[in-house]
Coordinates of all heavy atoms in Angstrom, one line a residue:
K186 N 83.4 83.1 102.5 CA 84.3 83.6 101.5 C 83.6 83.6 100.2 O 82.7 82.8 99.9 CB 85.5 82.7 101.4 CG 86.4 82.6 102.6 CD 87.1 83.9 102.8 CE 88.0 83.8 104.0 NZ 88.6 85.1 104.4
Y232 N 91.1 83.0 93.7 CA 91.7 83.5 95.0 C 90.5 83.7 95.9 O 89.5 84.3 95.6 CB 92.4 84.8 94.7 CG 93.1 85.3 96.0 CD1 94.3 84.8 96.3 CD2 92.4 86.2 96.8 CE1 94.9 85.3 97.5 CE2 93.0 86.7 98.0 CZ 94.3 86.2 98.3 OH 94.9 86.6 99.5
Y233 N 90.7 83.2 97.1 CA 89.6 83.1 98.1 C 89.6 84.5 98.9 O 90.5 84.8 99.6 CB 89.8 82.0 99.1 CG 89.8 80.7 98.3 CD1 91.0 80.2 97.8 CD2 88.6 79.9 98.2 CE1 91.0 79.0 97.1 CE2 88.7 78.7 97.5 CZ 89.8 78.3 96.9 OH 89.8 77.1 96.3
L234 N 88.5 85.2 98.7 CA 88.5 86.5 99.4 C 87.0 86.8 99.8 O 86.1 86.5 99.1 CB 88.9 87.5 98.3 CG 89.2 88.9 98.8 CD1 90.3 89.0 99.8 CD2 89.6 89.8 97.6
S238 N 85.6 92.5 101.2 CA 86.9 93.1 100.8 C 86.9 93.4 99.3 O 87.5 94.4 98.9 CB 88.0 92.0 101.1 OG 88.1 91.8 102.4
D255 N 99.0 100.5 96.5 CA 98.4 99.7 97.6 C 99.4 99.7 98.7 O 100.4 99.0 98.7 CB 98.1 98.3 97.0 CG 97.3 97.4 98.0 OD1 97.1 97.9 99.1 OD2 97.0 96.3 97.6
C257 N 99.5 99.0 102.1 CA 99.6 97.9 103.0 C 99.0 96.6 102.4 O 97.9 96.3 102.6 CB 98.8 98.2 104.3 SG 99.3 99.8 105.1
A258 N 99.8 96.0 101.5 CA 99.2 95.1 100.5 C 99.1 93.6 100.8 O 98.3 92.9 100.3 CB 100.0 95.3 99.2
A259 N 99.9 93.1 101.8 CA 100.0 91.6 102.0 C 98.7 91.2 102.8 O 98.3 91.9 103.6 CB 101.2 91.2 102.7
P260 N 98.2 90.0 102.5 CA 98.7 89.0 101.5 C 98.4 89.3 100.0 O 98.9 88.6 99.2 CB 98.0 87.7 102.0 CG 96.8 88.1 102.7 CD 97.1 89.5 103.3
G261 N 97.5 90.3 99.7 CA 97.4 90.6 98.3 C 96.1 90.5 97.7 O 95.9 90.8 96.5
G262 N 95.1 90.1 98.4 CA 93.7 89.9 97.9 C 93.2 91.2 97.2 O 92.7 91.2 96.1
K263 N 93.4 92.3 97.9 CA 92.8 93.6 97.4 C 93.7 94.1 96.2 O 93.2 94.7 95.3 CB 92.7 94.6 98.5 CG 91.6 94.2 99.5 CD 91.3 95.3 100.4 CE 90.4 94.8 101.6 NZ 91.2 94.0 102.6
S264 N 95.0 93.7 96.2 CA 95.8 94.1 95.1 C 95.3 93.5 93.8 O 95.3 94.0 92.7 CB 97.3 93.7 95.2 OG 97.8 94.2 96.4
L265 N 94.8 92.2 93.9 CA 94.3 91.5 92.8 C 93.0 92.2 92.3 O 92.8 92.3 91.1 CB 93.9 90.0 93.1 CG 95.1 89.1 93.4 CD1 94.7 87.7 93.8 CD2 96.1 89.1 92.3
V266 N 92.2 92.7 93.2 CA 91.0 93.4 92.8 C 91.3 94.7 92.1 O 90.8 95.0 91.0 CB 90.1 93.7 94.0 CG1 88.8 94.5 93.6 CG2 89.7 92.5 94.8
C279 N 102.6 97.7 94.9 CA 102.1 97.0 96.0 C 103.2 97.0 97.1 O 104.2 96.5 96.9 CB 101.8 95.6 95.6 SG 100.5 95.5 94.4
N280 N 102.9 97.7 98.2 CA 103.8 97.9 99.3 C 103.5 97.0 100.5 O 102.3 96.9 100.9 CB 103.9 99.3 99.7 CG 104.9 99.6 100.7 OD1 106.1 99.5 100.5 ND2 104.5 100.0 101.9
E281 N 104.5 96.5 101.2 CA 104.3 95.7 102.4 C 105.5 95.8 103.3 O 106.6 95.5 102.8 CB 103.9 94.3 102.1 CG 104.0 93.3 103.3 CD 103.0 93.7 104.4 OE1 101.9 94.0 104.1 OE2 103.5 93.7 105.6
L282 N 105.3 96.2 104.5 CA 106.5 96.5 105.4 C 107.1 95.2 105.9 O 108.4 95.0 105.9 CB 106.0 97.3 106.6 CG 107.1 97.6 107.7 CD1 108.2 98.5 107.1 CD2 106.4 98.4 108.9
S283 N 106.3 94.2 106.2 CA 106.9 92.9 106.8 C 107.5 92.0 105.7 O 106.8 91.7 104.7 CB 105.8 92.2 107.5 OG 105.9 90.8 107.4
G285 N 108.3 88.8 105.7 CA 107.7 87.5 105.5 C 106.4 87.7 104.8 O 106.1 86.9 103.9
R286 N 105.6 88.7 105.1 CA 104.3 88.9 104.5 C 104.5 89.4 103.0 O 103.7 89.1 102.1 CB 103.5 89.8 105.3 CG 102.9 89.2 106.6 CD 102.1 90.1 107.4 NE 100.9 90.6 106.8 CZ 99.7 89.9 106.9 NH1 99.7 88.8 107.5 NH2 98.7 90.4 106.3
R287 N 105.6 90.1 102.8 CA 105.9 90.5 101.4 C 106.2 89.3 100.5 O 105.8 89.3 99.4 CB 107.1 91.5 101.5 CG 107.3 92.3 100.3 CD 108.1 93.6 100.6 NE 109.4 93.3 101.0 CZ 109.9 93.7 102.2 NH1 109.2 94.3 103.1 NH2 111.2 93.4 102.5
D288 N 106.9 88.3 101.1 CA 107.1 87.1 100.3 C 105.8 86.4 99.9 O 105.6 86.0 98.8 CB 108.0 86.1 101.1 CG 109.4 86.6 101.2 OD1 109.8 87.5 100.4 OD2 110.1 86.0 102.1
R289 N 104.9 86.4 100.8 CA 103.6 85.8 100.5 C 102.8 86.7 99.5 O 102.2 86.1 98.6 CB 102.7 85.8 101.9 CG 101.4 85.2 101.7 CD 100.9 84.5 102.9 NE 99.5 84.1 102.7 CZ 98.5 84.4 103.6 NH1 98.9 85.0 104.8 NH2 97.3 84.1 103.4
L290 N 103.0 88.0 99.6 CA 102.3 88.9 98.6 C 102.9 88.6 97.2 O 102.1 88.5 96.3 CB 102.7 90.4 99.1 CG 102.3 91.5 98.1 CD1 100.8 91.6 97.9 CD2 102.9 92.8 98.5
K291 N 104.2 88.5 97.1 CA 104.8 88.2 95.8 C 104.2 86.9 95.2 O 103.9 86.8 94.0 CB 106.3 88.1 95.9 CG 107.0 89.4 96.1 CD 108.5 89.3 96.2 CE 109.1 90.6 96.6 NZ 110.5 90.4 97.2
R292 N 104.1 85.9 96.1 CA 103.5 84.6 95.6 C 102.1 84.8 95.1 O 101.7 84.3 94.1 CB 103.6 83.6 96.8 CG 103.6 82.2 96.3 CD 104.0 81.2 97.4 NE 103.1 81.2 98.6 CZ 103.6 81.6 99.8 NH1 104.8 81.9 100.0 NH2 102.7 81.6 100.8
V293 N 101.3 85.5 95.9 CA 99.9 85.6 95.6 C 99.8 86.4 94.2 O 99.0 86.0 93.4 CB 99.1 86.4 96.7 CG1 97.8 86.9 96.2 CG2 98.9 85.5 97.9
L294 N 100.6 87.4 94.1 CA 100.5 88.2 92.8 C 101.0 87.4 91.6 O 100.4 87.4 90.6 CB 101.4 89.5 93.0 CG 100.9 90.5 94.0 CD1 101.9 91.6 94.2 CD2 99.5 91.0 93.7
R295 N 102.1 86.6 91.9 CA 102.6 85.7 90.8 C 101.5 84.7 90.4 O 101.3 84.5 89.2 CB 103.8 85.0 91.3 CG 104.9 84.8 90.2 CD 106.2 84.3 90.7 NE 106.2 83.5 91.9 CZ 106.7 83.8 93.1 NH1 107.4 84.9 93.2 NH2 106.7 83.0 94.1
E296 N 100.9 84.1 91.4 CA 99.9 83.0 91.1 C 98.7 83.6 90.5 O 98.0 83.1 89.6 CB 99.6 82.2 92.3 CG 100.8 81.3 92.7 CD 100.6 80.6 94.1 OE1 99.5 80.8 94.7 OE2 101.5 79.9 94.5
G297 N 98.3 84.8 91.0 CA 97.0 85.4 90.6 C 97.1 86.1 89.2 O 96.1 86.2 88.5
L298 N 98.3 86.6 88.9 CA 98.4 87.4 87.7 C 99.4 86.9 86.7 O 99.6 87.5 85.6 CB 98.8 88.8 88.1 CG 97.9 89.6 89.1 CD1 98.6 90.8 89.6 CD2 96.6 90.0 88.4
V311 N 106.7 95.5 93.6 CA 106.5 95.3 95.0 C 107.6 96.1 95.8 O 108.7 96.0 95.5 CB 106.6 93.8 95.3 CG1 106.5 93.6 96.9 CG2 105.4 93.0 94.7
D333 N 94.8 99.9 103.4 CA 94.1 98.8 104.1 C 94.9 98.6 105.4 O 95.8 97.7 105.4 CB 94.0 97.6 103.2 CG 93.0 96.5 103.8 OD1 92.1 96.9 104.5 OD2 93.2 95.4 103.5
C386 N 89.7 96.1 108.9 CA 88.7 95.1 109.2 C 88.4 95.1 110.7 O 88.0 94.1 111.3 CB 89.3 93.7 108.8 SG 90.8 93.2 109.7

Side-chain angles (χ1 to χ4, degrees):
K186 298 288 185 191
Y232 185 81
Y233 301 83
L234 191 61
S238 295
D255 188 353
C257 306
K263 293 191 191 71
S264 304
L265 295 178
V266 178
C279 298
N280 181 68
E281 168 58 46
L282 182 61
S283 143
R286 288 178 64 86
R287 199 156 63 239
D288 288 343
R289 182 151 168 228
L290 170 68
K291 286 181 188 162
R292 201 168 57 243
V293 165
L294 296 173
R295 215 172 27 243
E296 286 170 5
L298 300 168
V311 173
D333 191 27
C386 62

